[in-house]
Amino acid sequence: MELDASFQRSKILAQKNPQSGFDVQLTLDLDVQRAVETAFGDRAGVVVALNPNDGSVVALLSRASGTNGETGSTAPTINSTGVSSGNTGSALAKSTTNLALVGDQPGLMLQPLLALIGLESGQLKSRSGDSPTLLVNPRRRAGLPSFTDWQLDPAPWTLAQALQTSLKDDLGEAIEAKTGTNSTQPASSLNPTRMAERDLNRRLSLAFWETLAQSIAPDDLLHWLQRFGFGGKTGFELAQDETGSTDLTSLANTLRDRSRWYAIEKVETILGRGDLRVSPLQLTQALAVLANGGVRIQPHVVQGNGARSRRERLDLSQSHLALLRASLALSLIHISEPTRPY
């Protein structure tokens, strides 16, 4: 098209008929996606459901705010009706970032990976295929104040017990506080003996994870975090794919500092409460390693990209993976029971 001096069209130089673009088919399972959206309702949150064998994303939800008054910004997401540009009508500023790709503290969800590091490094050992056990002291904590009100000798605590306590009590209560549901027995309904038992179990489990965290050297931690894919991009198709906002080399240098804060910072980082930031997609990619036999697979949401996805076998012990899966299964079975069988 040619324009004159007043920017008005003067003549058409050439003309080309429009062509339809290519269809893009996603890997989302609509039944799973709809179930996730229905379960969340108006609540905020992030869900990444990944097929651990081929890296395909079967469900993806990113919702930073809802209609129930929760704070946050509204992010675009892939949902059962297509690719959304974000909820409209929110008085809050809208985000252009999918929260599944944003780095945050991994918290309790890092514990299965910490257990795998412990098994691979020899810090966690099992006899006759039983759940690995550590001798822990609930009065001693890594650089933190001791529990002086408990006069207890060190006690053995298994990986299954530690996972169960974290998943049922700590994670369960966090979910209840966020959603208003009640899947665990409230402390107010327990008799004094049961309350004391639950408090002791929590302290033993906390001592288990802190004892394990103390045994992992900073350089070993950096090595394993890199192998799990933290600190780098996942290769996901969405442009917002981030590195998790953590410089692992800088983090390792901080943890090598032998100042009086060293022990606290190291344990807090390894337990997912410190400076380490990973995205939900990164964390899901790493946890998939436990399910697929030790292979880190590049996640994808576009049909046909699976064949081009990067696959890296991490050379993990299959017996360690089986042992960890068994401990996780045992902890989940006990979670569904009204009382713990310890």
Side-chain angles (χ1 to χ4, degrees), residues 12 26 54 66 134 159 166 180-181 221 241 245 247 265 278 328:
I12 296 178
L26 304 182
D54 62 11
L134 283 179
L159 174 60
S166 297
T181 58
L221 174 63
D241 186 19
S245 68
D247 183 338
E265 186 65 30
V278 301
L328 281 167

Side-chain angles (χ1 to χ4, degrees), residues 248-290:
L248 295 185
T249 302
S250 176
L251 178 62
N253 289 335
T254 299
L255 298 183
R256 292 188 190 102
D257 182 3
R258 293 289 178 173
S259 67
R260 66 188 186 94
W261 294 110
Y262 168 79
I264 300 175
E265 186 65 30
K266 173 188 170 185
V267 170
E268 290 293 294
T269 297
I270 295 178
L271 295 184
R273 303 188 299 247
D275 292 335
L276 179 64
R277 297 291 187 274
V278 301
S279 72
L281 184 62
Q282 285 178 317
L283 188 58
T284 306
Q285 179 190 34
L287 291 172
V289 170
L290 309 182

Side-chain angles (χ1 to χ4, degrees), residues 26 28 30 33 37 60-61 77-84 87:
L26 304 182
L28 298 181
L30 285 182
Q33 184 71 30
E37 294 175 13
L60 181 64
L61 178 70
T77 183
I78 299 173
N79 55 39
S80 57
T81 61
V83 180
S84 168
N87 296 333

